mmCIF file of all heavy atoms in Angstrom:
data_model
loop_
_atom_site.group_PDB
_atom_site.id
_atom_site.type_symbol
_atom_site.label_atom_id
_atom_site.label_comp_id
_atom_site.label_asym_id
_atom_site.label_seq_id
_atom_site.Cartn_x
_atom_site.Cartn_y
_atom_site.Cartn_z
ATOM 1 N N GLY A 846 0.780 -1.196 0.001
ATOM 2 C CA GLY A 846 -0.005 0.003 -0.017
ATOM 3 C C GLY A 846 0.814 1.270 0.000
ATOM 4 O O GLY A 846 0.283 2.326 0.284
ATOM 5 N N ILE A 847 2.090 1.170 -0.325
ATOM 6 C CA ILE A 847 2.953 2.328 -0.406
ATOM 7 C C ILE A 847 3.853 2.166 -1.624
ATOM 8 O O ILE A 847 4.389 1.087 -1.861
ATOM 9 C CB ILE A 847 3.744 2.535 0.918
ATOM 10 C CG1 ILE A 847 4.436 3.878 0.914
ATOM 11 C CG2 ILE A 847 4.707 1.404 1.159
ATOM 12 C CD1 ILE A 847 4.906 4.264 2.285
ATOM 13 N N GLY A 848 4.005 3.266 -2.346
ATOM 14 C CA GLY A 848 4.696 3.175 -3.643
ATOM 15 C C GLY A 848 6.123 3.661 -3.642
ATOM 16 O O GLY A 848 6.683 3.906 -4.721
ATOM 17 N N PHE A 849 6.732 3.786 -2.493
ATOM 18 C CA PHE A 849 8.127 4.202 -2.409
ATOM 19 C C PHE A 849 8.821 3.482 -1.275
ATOM 20 O O PHE A 849 8.158 2.910 -0.407
ATOM 21 C CB PHE A 849 8.253 5.731 -2.258
ATOM 22 C CG PHE A 849 7.517 6.286 -1.063
ATOM 23 C CD1 PHE A 849 8.135 6.384 0.159
ATOM 24 C CD2 PHE A 849 6.207 6.717 -1.186
ATOM 25 C CE1 PHE A 849 7.454 6.890 1.271
ATOM 26 C CE2 PHE A 849 5.508 7.230 -0.112
ATOM 27 C CZ PHE A 849 6.135 7.300 1.126
ATOM 28 N N SER A 850 10.110 3.525 -1.281
ATOM 29 C CA SER A 850 10.883 2.822 -0.279
ATOM 30 C C SER A 850 10.746 3.497 1.094
ATOM 31 O O SER A 850 10.880 4.716 1.199
ATOM 32 C CB SER A 850 12.380 2.802 -0.700
ATOM 33 O OG SER A 850 13.151 2.115 0.246
ATOM 34 N N ILE A 851 10.462 2.712 2.088
ATOM 35 C CA ILE A 851 10.267 3.225 3.448
ATOM 36 C C ILE A 851 11.615 3.651 4.032
ATOM 37 O O ILE A 851 12.599 2.939 3.948
ATOM 38 C CB ILE A 851 9.593 2.153 4.313
ATOM 39 C CG1 ILE A 851 8.131 1.984 3.892
ATOM 40 C CG2 ILE A 851 9.665 2.511 5.798
ATOM 41 C CD1 ILE A 851 7.419 0.824 4.527
ATOM 42 N N ALA A 852 11.622 4.843 4.655
ATOM 43 C CA ALA A 852 12.851 5.398 5.132
ATOM 44 C C ALA A 852 13.331 4.816 6.464
ATOM 45 O O ALA A 852 14.531 4.688 6.666
ATOM 46 C CB ALA A 852 12.732 6.937 5.257
ATOM 47 N N ALA A 853 12.392 4.540 7.367
ATOM 48 C CA ALA A 853 12.754 4.073 8.693
ATOM 49 C C ALA A 853 11.923 2.855 9.067
ATOM 50 O O ALA A 853 10.696 2.878 8.980
ATOM 51 C CB ALA A 853 12.572 5.197 9.727
ATOM 52 N N TRP A 854 12.602 1.846 9.493
ATOM 53 C CA TRP A 854 11.981 0.585 9.940
ATOM 54 C C TRP A 854 12.503 0.222 11.340
ATOM 55 O O TRP A 854 13.623 0.555 11.683
ATOM 56 C CB TRP A 854 12.402 -0.580 9.037
ATOM 57 C CG TRP A 854 11.833 -0.694 7.671
ATOM 58 C CD1 TRP A 854 12.428 -0.282 6.510
ATOM 59 C CD2 TRP A 854 10.609 -1.336 7.304
ATOM 60 N NE1 TRP A 854 11.622 -0.617 5.458
ATOM 61 C CE2 TRP A 854 10.514 -1.283 5.908
ATOM 62 C CE3 TRP A 854 9.597 -1.977 8.016
ATOM 63 C CZ2 TRP A 854 9.437 -1.831 5.214
ATOM 64 C CZ3 TRP A 854 8.536 -2.512 7.348
ATOM 65 C CH2 TRP A 854 8.470 -2.456 5.948
ATOM 66 N N ALA A 855 11.672 -0.482 12.079
ATOM 67 C CA ALA A 855 12.129 -0.953 13.401
ATOM 68 C C ALA A 855 11.487 -2.281 13.706
ATOM 69 O O ALA A 855 10.398 -2.636 13.224
ATOM 70 C CB ALA A 855 11.805 0.057 14.475
ATOM 71 N N TRP A 856 12.140 -3.024 14.581
ATOM 72 C CA TRP A 856 11.601 -4.210 15.240
ATOM 73 C C TRP A 856 11.502 -3.907 16.728
ATOM 74 O O TRP A 856 12.473 -3.437 17.344
ATOM 75 C CB TRP A 856 12.451 -5.428 15.020
ATOM 76 C CG TRP A 856 12.389 -6.026 13.648
ATOM 77 C CD1 TRP A 856 13.308 -5.836 12.638
ATOM 78 C CD2 TRP A 856 11.386 -6.903 13.119
ATOM 79 N NE1 TRP A 856 12.914 -6.542 11.516
ATOM 80 C CE2 TRP A 856 11.732 -7.220 11.817
ATOM 81 C CE3 TRP A 856 10.228 -7.462 13.672
ATOM 82 C CZ2 TRP A 856 10.976 -8.052 10.991
ATOM 83 C CZ3 TRP A 856 9.475 -8.295 12.850
ATOM 84 C CH2 TRP A 856 9.854 -8.584 11.553
ATOM 85 N N TYR A 857 10.356 -4.205 17.304
ATOM 86 C CA TYR A 857 10.138 -4.105 18.742
ATOM 87 C C TYR A 857 9.665 -5.474 19.263
ATOM 88 O O TYR A 857 9.222 -6.315 18.465
ATOM 89 C CB TYR A 857 9.057 -3.073 19.080
ATOM 90 C CG TYR A 857 9.495 -1.633 18.987
ATOM 91 C CD1 TYR A 857 9.538 -0.988 17.763
ATOM 92 C CD2 TYR A 857 9.839 -0.926 20.122
ATOM 93 C CE1 TYR A 857 9.916 0.339 17.683
ATOM 94 C CE2 TYR A 857 10.213 0.417 20.067
ATOM 95 C CZ TYR A 857 10.248 1.042 18.837
ATOM 96 O OH TYR A 857 10.613 2.362 18.751
ATOM 97 N N ARG A 858 9.759 -5.644 20.566
ATOM 98 C CA ARG A 858 9.180 -6.859 21.155
ATOM 99 C C ARG A 858 8.509 -6.506 22.483
ATOM 100 O O ARG A 858 8.843 -5.535 23.113
ATOM 101 C CB ARG A 858 10.231 -7.946 21.342
ATOM 102 C CG ARG A 858 11.323 -7.611 22.356
ATOM 103 C CD ARG A 858 12.411 -8.689 22.311
ATOM 104 N NE ARG A 858 13.424 -8.475 23.339
ATOM 105 C CZ ARG A 858 14.543 -9.192 23.426
ATOM 106 N NH1 ARG A 858 14.777 -10.191 22.556
ATOM 107 N NH2 ARG A 858 15.447 -8.905 24.386
ATOM 108 N N GLN A 859 7.574 -7.360 22.862
ATOM 109 C CA GLN A 859 6.829 -7.101 24.082
ATOM 110 C C GLN A 859 6.386 -8.433 24.730
ATOM 111 O O GLN A 859 5.979 -9.335 24.038
ATOM 112 C CB GLN A 859 5.593 -6.250 23.800
ATOM 113 C CG GLN A 859 4.868 -5.739 25.046
ATOM 114 C CD GLN A 859 3.839 -4.673 24.718
ATOM 115 O OE1 GLN A 859 3.276 -4.655 23.620
ATOM 116 N NE2 GLN A 859 3.577 -3.790 25.654
ATOM 117 N N VAL A 860 6.501 -8.469 26.043
ATOM 118 C CA VAL A 860 5.980 -9.585 26.799
ATOM 119 C C VAL A 860 4.883 -9.051 27.720
ATOM 120 O O VAL A 860 4.826 -7.862 28.028
ATOM 121 C CB VAL A 860 7.087 -10.288 27.634
ATOM 122 C CG1 VAL A 860 8.164 -10.832 26.688
ATOM 123 C CG2 VAL A 860 7.686 -9.323 28.630
ATOM 124 N N PRO A 861 3.970 -9.918 28.163
ATOM 125 C CA PRO A 861 2.852 -9.464 29.000
ATOM 126 C C PRO A 861 3.346 -8.705 30.233
ATOM 127 O O PRO A 861 4.310 -9.126 30.868
ATOM 128 C CB PRO A 861 2.117 -10.754 29.359
ATOM 129 C CG PRO A 861 2.403 -11.665 28.220
ATOM 130 C CD PRO A 861 3.839 -11.362 27.816
ATOM 131 N N ARG A 862 2.705 -7.627 30.531
ATOM 132 C CA ARG A 862 2.934 -6.813 31.716
ATOM 133 C C ARG A 862 4.311 -6.142 31.717
ATOM 134 O O ARG A 862 4.792 -5.668 32.766
ATOM 135 C CB ARG A 862 2.747 -7.651 32.996
ATOM 136 C CG ARG A 862 1.303 -8.072 33.201
ATOM 137 C CD ARG A 862 1.180 -9.075 34.321
ATOM 138 N NE ARG A 862 1.716 -10.361 33.990
ATOM 139 C CZ ARG A 862 1.718 -11.431 34.788
ATOM 140 N NH1 ARG A 862 1.169 -11.318 35.992
ATOM 141 N NH2 ARG A 862 2.245 -12.558 34.386
ATOM 142 N N LYS A 863 4.928 -6.050 30.587
ATOM 143 C CA LYS A 863 6.181 -5.297 30.461
ATOM 144 C C LYS A 863 6.103 -4.291 29.360
ATOM 145 O O LYS A 863 5.272 -4.381 28.435
ATOM 146 C CB LYS A 863 7.352 -6.253 30.197
ATOM 147 C CG LYS A 863 7.710 -7.138 31.389
ATOM 148 C CD LYS A 863 8.997 -7.897 31.121
ATOM 149 C CE LYS A 863 9.389 -8.716 32.334
ATOM 150 N NZ LYS A 863 10.667 -9.453 32.106
ATOM 151 N N GLN A 864 6.963 -3.282 29.443
ATOM 152 C CA GLN A 864 7.012 -2.252 28.420
ATOM 153 C C GLN A 864 7.531 -2.797 27.083
ATOM 154 O O GLN A 864 8.392 -3.708 27.069
ATOM 155 C CB GLN A 864 7.916 -1.086 28.864
ATOM 156 C CG GLN A 864 7.386 -0.304 30.049
ATOM 157 C CD GLN A 864 6.167 0.527 29.709
ATOM 158 O OE1 GLN A 864 6.067 1.038 28.603
ATOM 159 N NE2 GLN A 864 5.224 0.596 30.641
ATOM 160 N N ARG A 865 7.050 -2.249 26.015
ATOM 161 C CA ARG A 865 7.553 -2.592 24.699
ATOM 162 C C ARG A 865 9.021 -2.184 24.592
ATOM 163 O O ARG A 865 9.416 -1.079 25.045
ATOM 164 C CB ARG A 865 6.724 -1.882 23.630
ATOM 165 C CG ARG A 865 7.010 -2.288 22.210
ATOM 166 C CD ARG A 865 6.009 -1.620 21.271
ATOM 167 N NE ARG A 865 6.116 -0.175 21.318
ATOM 168 C CZ ARG A 865 5.188 0.684 20.873
ATOM 169 N NH1 ARG A 865 4.058 0.201 20.344
ATOM 170 N NH2 ARG A 865 5.401 1.976 20.951
ATOM 171 N N GLU A 866 9.824 -3.036 23.999
ATOM 172 C CA GLU A 866 11.276 -2.843 23.968
ATOM 173 C C GLU A 866 11.757 -2.731 22.521
ATOM 174 O O GLU A 866 11.384 -3.558 21.670
ATOM 175 C CB GLU A 866 11.963 -4.005 24.647
ATOM 176 C CG GLU A 866 13.482 -3.988 24.591
ATOM 177 C CD GLU A 866 14.106 -5.259 25.122
ATOM 178 O OE1 GLU A 866 13.391 -6.259 25.299
ATOM 179 O OE2 GLU A 866 15.332 -5.249 25.366
ATOM 180 N N LEU A 867 12.573 -1.736 22.252
ATOM 181 C CA LEU A 867 13.177 -1.618 20.931
ATOM 182 C C LEU A 867 14.243 -2.706 20.733
ATOM 183 O O LEU A 867 15.116 -2.905 21.575
ATOM 184 C CB LEU A 867 13.857 -0.259 20.771
ATOM 185 C CG LEU A 867 14.606 -0.038 19.483
ATOM 186 C CD1 LEU A 867 13.650 -0.030 18.283
ATOM 187 C CD2 LEU A 867 15.408 1.267 19.500
ATOM 188 N N VAL A 868 14.134 -3.422 19.639
ATOM 189 C CA VAL A 868 15.096 -4.450 19.298
ATOM 190 C C VAL A 868 16.140 -3.924 18.316
ATOM 191 O O VAL A 868 17.332 -4.065 18.526
ATOM 192 C CB VAL A 868 14.386 -5.692 18.712
ATOM 193 C CG1 VAL A 868 15.399 -6.734 18.251
ATOM 194 C CG2 VAL A 868 13.420 -6.262 19.728
ATOM 195 N N ALA A 869 15.663 -3.341 17.234
ATOM 196 C CA ALA A 869 16.567 -2.828 16.199
ATOM 197 C C ALA A 869 15.861 -1.822 15.358
ATOM 198 O O ALA A 869 14.628 -1.879 15.187
ATOM 199 C CB ALA A 869 17.078 -3.970 15.325
ATOM 200 N N VAL A 870 16.603 -0.903 14.780
ATOM 201 C CA VAL A 870 16.051 0.092 13.856
ATOM 202 C C VAL A 870 17.045 0.251 12.706
ATOM 203 O O VAL A 870 18.238 0.155 12.878
ATOM 204 C CB VAL A 870 15.759 1.438 14.555
ATOM 205 C CG1 VAL A 870 17.060 2.010 15.181
ATOM 206 C CG2 VAL A 870 15.113 2.423 13.644
ATOM 207 N N THR A 871 16.479 0.505 11.526
ATOM 208 C CA THR A 871 17.339 0.749 10.346
ATOM 209 C C THR A 871 16.742 1.870 9.523
ATOM 210 O O THR A 871 15.523 2.050 9.468
ATOM 211 C CB THR A 871 17.502 -0.547 9.521
ATOM 212 O OG1 THR A 871 18.444 -0.284 8.464
ATOM 213 C CG2 THR A 871 16.172 -0.973 8.908
ATOM 214 N N TYR A 872 17.621 2.637 8.884
ATOM 215 C CA TYR A 872 17.203 3.750 8.039
ATOM 216 C C TYR A 872 17.720 3.518 6.627
ATOM 217 O O TYR A 872 18.616 2.704 6.392
ATOM 218 C CB TYR A 872 17.802 5.050 8.624
ATOM 219 C CG TYR A 872 17.378 5.336 10.029
ATOM 220 C CD1 TYR A 872 18.155 4.970 11.099
ATOM 221 C CD2 TYR A 872 16.136 5.946 10.267
ATOM 222 C CE1 TYR A 872 17.752 5.193 12.415
ATOM 223 C CE2 TYR A 872 15.721 6.189 11.573
ATOM 224 C CZ TYR A 872 16.523 5.800 12.623
ATOM 225 O OH TYR A 872 16.092 6.061 13.922
ATOM 226 N N SER A 873 17.123 4.267 5.711
ATOM 227 C CA SER A 873 17.398 4.047 4.294
ATOM 228 C C SER A 873 18.864 4.258 3.929
ATOM 229 O O SER A 873 19.352 3.654 2.976
ATOM 230 C CB SER A 873 16.506 4.959 3.430
ATOM 231 O OG SER A 873 16.739 6.330 3.699
ATOM 232 N N GLY A 874 19.564 5.095 4.671
ATOM 233 C CA GLY A 874 20.972 5.301 4.409
ATOM 234 C C GLY A 874 21.884 4.199 4.903
ATOM 235 O O GLY A 874 23.090 4.244 4.656
ATOM 236 N N GLY A 875 21.308 3.206 5.594
ATOM 237 C CA GLY A 875 22.073 2.058 6.069
ATOM 238 C C GLY A 875 22.436 2.121 7.532
ATOM 239 O O GLY A 875 22.955 1.118 8.058
ATOM 240 N N MET A 876 22.148 3.182 8.208
ATOM 241 C CA MET A 876 22.427 3.268 9.643
ATOM 242 C C MET A 876 21.528 2.333 10.427
ATOM 243 O O MET A 876 20.328 2.196 10.138
ATOM 244 C CB MET A 876 22.232 4.700 10.152
ATOM 245 C CG MET A 876 22.601 4.932 11.581
ATOM 246 S SD MET A 876 22.418 6.667 12.039
ATOM 247 C CE MET A 876 22.938 6.627 13.740
ATOM 248 N N THR A 877 22.083 1.653 11.409
ATOM 249 C CA THR A 877 21.333 0.735 12.252
ATOM 250 C C THR A 877 21.657 0.973 13.709
ATOM 251 O O THR A 877 22.699 1.525 14.087
ATOM 252 C CB THR A 877 21.645 -0.733 11.914
ATOM 253 O OG1 THR A 877 23.041 -0.970 12.099
ATOM 254 C CG2 THR A 877 21.266 -1.053 10.480
ATOM 255 N N HIS A 878 20.709 0.548 14.576
ATOM 256 C CA HIS A 878 20.890 0.618 15.993
ATOM 257 C C HIS A 878 20.240 -0.598 16.615
ATOM 258 O O HIS A 878 19.160 -1.000 16.183
ATOM 259 C CB HIS A 878 20.267 1.913 16.591
ATOM 260 C CG HIS A 878 20.314 1.961 18.072
ATOM 261 N ND1 HIS A 878 21.420 2.245 18.799
ATOM 262 C CD2 HIS A 878 19.304 1.737 18.990
ATOM 263 C CE1 HIS A 878 21.148 2.203 20.068
ATOM 264 N NE2 HIS A 878 19.859 1.904 20.215
ATOM 265 N N TYR A 879 20.865 -1.161 17.649
ATOM 266 C CA TYR A 879 20.358 -2.328 18.322
ATOM 267 C C TYR A 879 20.192 -2.094 19.820
ATOM 268 O O TYR A 879 20.998 -1.391 20.415
ATOM 269 C CB TYR A 879 21.294 -3.543 18.111
ATOM 270 C CG TYR A 879 21.395 -3.987 16.682
ATOM 271 C CD1 TYR A 879 22.368 -3.463 15.817
ATOM 272 C CD2 TYR A 879 20.520 -4.915 16.134
ATOM 273 C CE1 TYR A 879 22.452 -3.869 14.496
ATOM 274 C CE2 TYR A 879 20.586 -5.317 14.828
ATOM 275 C CZ TYR A 879 21.550 -4.788 14.018
ATOM 276 O OH TYR A 879 21.635 -5.208 12.704
ATOM 277 N N GLY A 880 19.169 -2.730 20.355
ATOM 278 C CA GLY A 880 19.073 -2.745 21.821
ATOM 279 C C GLY A 880 20.197 -3.508 22.445
ATOM 280 O O GLY A 880 20.735 -4.458 21.844
ATOM 281 N N ASP A 881 20.568 -3.114 23.638
ATOM 282 C CA ASP A 881 21.732 -3.706 24.304
ATOM 283 C C ASP A 881 21.581 -5.225 24.453
ATOM 284 O O ASP A 881 22.586 -5.960 24.385
ATOM 285 C CB ASP A 881 21.955 -3.066 25.665
ATOM 286 C CG ASP A 881 22.464 -1.633 25.579
ATOM 287 O OD1 ASP A 881 22.994 -1.273 24.516
ATOM 288 O OD2 ASP A 881 22.351 -0.923 26.564
ATOM 289 N N SER A 882 20.375 -5.685 24.717
ATOM 290 C CA SER A 882 20.188 -7.096 25.007
ATOM 291 C C SER A 882 20.344 -8.015 23.788
ATOM 292 O O SER A 882 20.484 -9.215 23.955
ATOM 293 C CB SER A 882 18.791 -7.328 25.611
ATOM 294 O OG SER A 882 17.769 -6.958 24.697
ATOM 295 N N VAL A 883 20.361 -7.436 22.586
ATOM 296 C CA VAL A 883 20.454 -8.267 21.380
ATOM 297 C C VAL A 883 21.712 -7.985 20.567
ATOM 298 O O VAL A 883 21.942 -8.655 19.544
ATOM 299 C CB VAL A 883 19.213 -8.127 20.492
ATOM 300 C CG1 VAL A 883 17.958 -8.410 21.309
ATOM 301 C CG2 VAL A 883 19.149 -6.760 19.855
ATOM 302 N N LYS A 884 22.527 -7.055 20.964
ATOM 303 C CA LYS A 884 23.734 -6.701 20.198
ATOM 304 C C LYS A 884 24.612 -7.937 20.041
ATOM 305 O O LYS A 884 24.876 -8.655 20.984
ATOM 306 C CB LYS A 884 24.504 -5.599 20.905
ATOM 307 C CG LYS A 884 23.879 -4.228 20.769
ATOM 308 C CD LYS A 884 24.695 -3.152 21.481
ATOM 309 C CE LYS A 884 24.063 -1.788 21.359
ATOM 310 N NZ LYS A 884 24.831 -0.742 22.077
ATOM 311 N N GLY A 885 25.087 -8.126 18.821
ATOM 312 C CA GLY A 885 25.953 -9.258 18.545
ATOM 313 C C GLY A 885 25.219 -10.539 18.210
ATOM 314 O O GLY A 885 25.856 -11.501 17.766
ATOM 315 N N ARG A 886 23.925 -10.571 18.426
ATOM 316 C CA ARG A 886 23.146 -11.777 18.170
ATOM 317 C C ARG A 886 22.106 -11.601 17.061
ATOM 318 O O ARG A 886 21.836 -12.541 16.314
ATOM 319 C CB ARG A 886 22.420 -12.256 19.443
ATOM 320 C CG ARG A 886 23.389 -12.605 20.585
ATOM 321 C CD ARG A 886 22.655 -13.268 21.735
ATOM 322 N NE ARG A 886 21.662 -12.351 22.323
ATOM 323 C CZ ARG A 886 20.351 -12.611 22.377
ATOM 324 N NH1 ARG A 886 19.882 -13.738 21.915
ATOM 325 N NH2 ARG A 886 19.527 -11.744 22.979
ATOM 326 N N PHE A 887 21.519 -10.404 16.982
ATOM 327 C CA PHE A 887 20.469 -10.123 16.021
ATOM 328 C C PHE A 887 20.991 -9.169 14.944
ATOM 329 O O PHE A 887 21.835 -8.325 15.218
ATOM 330 C CB PHE A 887 19.263 -9.464 16.666
ATOM 331 C CG PHE A 887 18.470 -10.344 17.617
ATOM 332 C CD1 PHE A 887 18.934 -11.587 17.986
ATOM 333 C CD2 PHE A 887 17.256 -9.866 18.101
ATOM 334 C CE1 PHE A 887 18.171 -12.379 18.857
ATOM 335 C CE2 PHE A 887 16.515 -10.671 18.972
ATOM 336 C CZ PHE A 887 16.978 -11.909 19.351
ATOM 337 N N THR A 888 20.474 -9.310 13.724
ATOM 338 C CA THR A 888 20.821 -8.447 12.618
ATOM 339 C C THR A 888 19.596 -8.005 11.892
ATOM 340 O O THR A 888 18.800 -8.848 11.460
ATOM 341 C CB THR A 888 21.790 -9.136 11.655
ATOM 342 O OG1 THR A 888 22.953 -9.549 12.352
ATOM 343 C CG2 THR A 888 22.222 -8.176 10.543
ATOM 344 N N ILE A 889 19.402 -6.707 11.702
ATOM 345 C CA ILE A 889 18.311 -6.181 10.897
ATOM 346 C C ILE A 889 18.824 -5.883 9.509
ATOM 347 O O ILE A 889 19.934 -5.369 9.343
ATOM 348 C CB ILE A 889 17.675 -4.924 11.574
ATOM 349 C CG1 ILE A 889 16.424 -4.489 10.814
ATOM 350 C CG2 ILE A 889 18.689 -3.780 11.660
ATOM 351 C CD1 ILE A 889 15.614 -3.407 11.563
ATOM 352 N N SER A 890 18.028 -6.198 8.514
ATOM 353 C CA SER A 890 18.399 -5.945 7.119
ATOM 354 C C SER A 890 17.157 -5.603 6.328
ATOM 355 O O SER A 890 16.018 -5.755 6.810
ATOM 356 C CB SER A 890 19.142 -7.115 6.500
ATOM 357 O OG SER A 890 18.312 -8.286 6.503
#
């Protein structure tokens, strides 16, 4: 439903009774950021 490349994407996760947590974010220029708990284990692409 969108005709152009999305500039910013993210993955979040949530467990019951806890706050939603940022897992990873990526931008169209290639910049990425990871939550501390998943660094070195998860990769966003």
Side-chain angles (χ1 to χ4, degrees):
I847 190 165
F849 56 89
S850 181
I851 290 171
W854 286 97
W856 288 98
Y857 285 81
R858 66 187 183 186
Q859 189 169 28
V860 299
R862 294 170 290 181
K863 290 189 177 181
Q864 293 290 323
R865 189 174 61 198
E866 177 188 13
L867 176 67
V868 175
V870 60
T871 185
Y872 302 95
S873 60
M876 184 178 181
T877 59
H878 173 77
Y879 295 91
D881 289 340
S882 63
V883 306
K884 286 180 179 177
R886 300 188 297 121
F887 292 9
T888 303
I889 187 170
S890 61

